[in-house]
Structure formats: C-alpha cells, structure tokens
Amino acid sequence: MAHVARPWPGDLEWGGDWLIEAAGELTRLGFVLRDGLLLGTTPGPRLLLALRDAPTLEHFDPEEATFWEARDGRGRLTFVDRETPLPVARRYAWGRIQVTDRIPVSNQFLGFGGTLLADARDEHQTLVAFCSRAPIVRWAGHSQGVDPLADEIGSFFARLMVPIDFQEGAEARIAETDPEALYAAFLHHSAARLRMGGLLRETFPELARFVDHERRRMVNDAPAAWREAEALLGWLELG
C-alpha cells in the first residue's frame, strides 16, 4: 500500500481563510503566482488556480495541474483537476508544476515542494493552492515570463538527478527533506558556483545579491533547515 504523506505543517499557516482569499485573487484570472520569492513571511509563496466547469475566455482557463509527489520513496507524476476528490491537503514534491488549459497550452513553474490545498468554491469551480515556505518561480509558458532565478533552480534540480540515478536511497532522502531545507541546499549550491568564478558573479549580479541575502537570512532565521541542508549535501557528496 502506498504511503500517504502528511502535509508539511509550516505550509498550513495560511489557515482556514485560504479559500476566500484565493477566490478574491482569481475573480477574473485562471491562475496567479503570489509572493513567489517573498520568503520568511505568512502565507508566503503560493500558486493559485481556478478550475472552472466553463472557460471565461478572459485570461487563462486551467483544466488541470500536473506535479510531482513522493510515493514509497519515489517521485511520481500526478495531477489535480475538477474530478479530484475534495477537499485536498497533501504534500507535493520538488520539481515542475505545469498548469494546462483546454487548447491545450501550458504555463510551467518550479518549486521545492510544499502543501497542495484544493476545495470547491461552489458547484462550478475548484480552487487550488500550491503553498510553500520556499520559492515558486515562473519557468516557461504561454502567458507569462521567466523569473531570473528559474534557470539556477533548474540547474540545481538537474544536479540532484545525478545521485538519484546512482546512489541508493538518494531519491527517498531528498523526497523526505523539508522544502525549506532543500531550498537551503540550493543556496549552498549556488553560493559555491558563485565563489568558483568571479566572472559568474559579475555576469549575474542580481543572482549573487539574492543568494548572499538569502544565505544570511536562512542562517539567522532557519538554522535547523540550514543544518539539514548541510547534512543532505554531505550525504549526497554534493557539498
């Protein structure tokens, strides 16, 4: 029997009002990313979707969202749509989130994992929220740009695939890592890259400033996540 993961407790700080807030954000929109890089706040990064039984033709009309979740220590691609039993409060894993409409075209995001919430607003629409204490960034898509941090996060996720492919237990260990700690591991990785060559820091000064700021914040505000990240990278031999 597959293990059903519990939601990450810290991602549920949004509380019972999430459905009301999401409905207000999505009155005329099909999806919206809020505070994708506004970390250390409540409710923090959240990707909101409205799955409606009839398209509005005003913005983007999502039909489903696909994402990764961990089952028995392995990453599995899954989805949420209007047929998904409600309500939903469960973990989603690190990697790509893809929101697709009826045409179909899609918008893609990258995240470090968190909690997926979904519930019926009324008989005509299901509201969905991907919540996290780590960044959610725009990666590519039909109706959005790309966030400056997306390529660096994508590079880090690609690097994680090396131990997953060759080291026993790596996939499960990464899947069990708290999203905030996995984000801290990303900061370690990026800081090391920026230290290796001054040219990289000079070419991407905004990335360098962001990483420097976030490393200081995490060390001060989330020392347990920082220590977990260091242990993870050491075990994966990526430190």
Side-chain angles (χ1 to χ4, degrees):
M1 181 176 180
H3 172 67
V4 179
R6 295 169 59 84
W8 300 106
D11 296 324
L12 297 179
E13 294 175 357
W14 200 356
D17 293 335
W18 81 268
L19 198 62
I20 296 173
E21 181 178 333
E25 294 274 12
L26 297 166
T27 301
R28 302 181 64 86
L29 300 174
F31 74 91
V32 64
L33 176 63
R34 289 291 183 238
D35 303 334
L37 291 175
L38 189 56
L39 305 166
T41 62
T42 301
R46 56 211 184 276
L47 172 62
L48 310 177
L49 316 176
L51 309 180
R52 299 181 171 99
D53 59 4
T56 66
L57 306 179
E58 292 187 32
H59 174 238
F60 184 90
D61 295 295
E63 293 286 326
E64 70 172 20
T66 56
F67 57 96
W68 292 90
E69 66 177 6
R71 300 179 193 167
D72 298 325
R74 301 294 302 273
R76 308 291 185 186
L77 191 63
T78 188
F79 67 92
V80 58
D81 64 9
R82 281 184 46 80
E83 302 302 318
T84 299
L86 301 173
V88 174
R90 73 185 204 232
R91 292 182 185 181
Y92 68 94
W94 62 277
R96 184 185 68 177
I97 303 168
Q98 180 167 293
V99 182
T100 305
D101 79 355
R102 69 195 185 286
I103 295 176
V105 295
S106 65
N107 290 284
Q108 299 179 35
F109 306 83
L110 291 176
F112 290 82
T115 295
L116 168 67
L117 304 174
D119 208 347
R121 173 59 175 167
D122 52 42
E123 65 270 25
H124 299 296
Q125 61 179 328
T126 295
L127 300 186
V128 178
F130 290 88
C131 315
S132 188
R133 287 172 288 115
I136 301 173
V137 297
R138 301 169 183 87
W139 191 26
H142 170 266
S143 51
Q144 65 178 7
V146 177
D147 284 326
L149 204 61
D151 287 344
E152 189 70 9
I153 293 174
S155 173
F156 173 68
F157 286 169
R159 184 77 183 276
L160 289 180
M161 295 307 299
V162 176
I164 285 175
D165 286 342
F166 294 101
Q167 185 173 343
E168 184 177 356
E171 187 171 8
R173 174 81 179 259
I174 296 169
E176 292 168 358
T177 301
D178 184 275
E180 197 171 26
L182 191 60
Y183 171 54
F186 159 75
L187 294 173
H188 272 286
H189 173 265
S190 294
R193 277 169 38 84
L194 290 164
R195 283 195 301 269
M196 287 173 60
L199 181 60
L200 185 63
R201 179 172 285 271
E202 294 174 6
T203 304
F204 301 102
E206 291 186 8
L207 171 64
R209 284 192 294 269
F210 181 88
V211 169
D212 291 344
H213 173 271
E214 282 297 285
R215 287 180 75 246
R216 290 192 295 269
R217 184 185 69 81
M218 290 285 290
V219 169
N220 291 328
D221 297 348
W226 195 255
R227 291 192 296 271
E228 185 179 354
E230 291 177 329
L232 174 68
L233 290 175
W235 187 79
L236 295 174
E237 300 182 353
L238 293 177

